[in-house]
Amino acid sequence: MSAPEPARPSGYLVIRIVTMPADTYPDGDIFGGWIMSQMDHAAGTAAMRRSAGRCVTAAVDGMAFISPVHVGDEVSLYASVLSVGHTSMKIMVEAWRRPRESNDSIRVTKAMFTFVAIDADGRPRPVPAEGHPLTPD
């Protein structure tokens, strides 16, 4: 038996966007790649804030889509910095959708993103011991 879906997102809201027809398959469902791209943006924002500089995506783990997203849905992306290494960070991102005719949100997917902090030459650099925390604005 699988665990029940959480009623609320975890992490901090980083991006909120309304889906548009250009982001769909012909039958009206939103491309999974579009959602993954938005999640990468959210994770990148969290990584840049935490590391106080430039970062790149190194890996994405564990993405499974559990609910479709439709045109007009509001998609909210929540990020949490879970761990910080010498040059890398693990960031969990959850994508939630809210149909425009509802006030209830439904989790669409979540995934673990690994980012590496890099310098101006594109080489790994240390993540500062203290960075800007990902906090609500």
Side-chain angles (χ1 to χ4, degrees):
M1 184 170 143
S2 63
E5 285 300 310
R8 298 180 53 149
S10 61
Y12 295 105
L13 179 64
V14 179
I15 295 173
R16 180 168 281 152
I17 189 168
V18 174
T19 57
M20 301 299 286
D23 306 321
T24 67
Y25 289 105
D27 63 1
D29 292 329
I30 301 300
F31 288 115
W34 179 86
I35 295 167
M36 186 173 179
S37 172
Q38 298 301 313
M39 292 174 75
D40 193 30
H41 283 290
T45 297
M48 285 184 275
R49 288 180 73 175
R50 174 56 186 86
S51 71
R54 191 171 164 199
C55 299
V56 293
T57 308
V60 180
D61 298 317
M63 182 174 285
F65 293 95
I66 55 178
S67 178
V69 178
H70 306 287
V71 171
D73 285 354
E74 177 185 87
V75 175
S76 299
L77 300 145
Y78 296 83
S80 302
V81 178
L82 297 184
S83 67
V84 178
H86 181 65
T87 62
S88 66
M89 296 154 282
K90 296 253 184 213
I91 299 162
M92 178 60 71
V93 177
E94 295 183 4
W96 288 69
R97 74 178 181 94
R98 185 189 61 78
R100 61 180 149 179
E101 69 279 356
S102 173
N103 286 323
D104 297 326
S105 293
I106 302 156
R107 189 167 71 181
V108 174
T109 188
K110 68 177 182 174
M112 180 72 70
F113 287 75
T114 302
F115 272 76
V116 173
I118 59 172
D119 63 19
D121 295 322
R123 294 188 185 96
R125 65 174 172 85
V127 176
E130 295 293 325
H132 189 286
L134 187 62
T135 57
D137 292 327

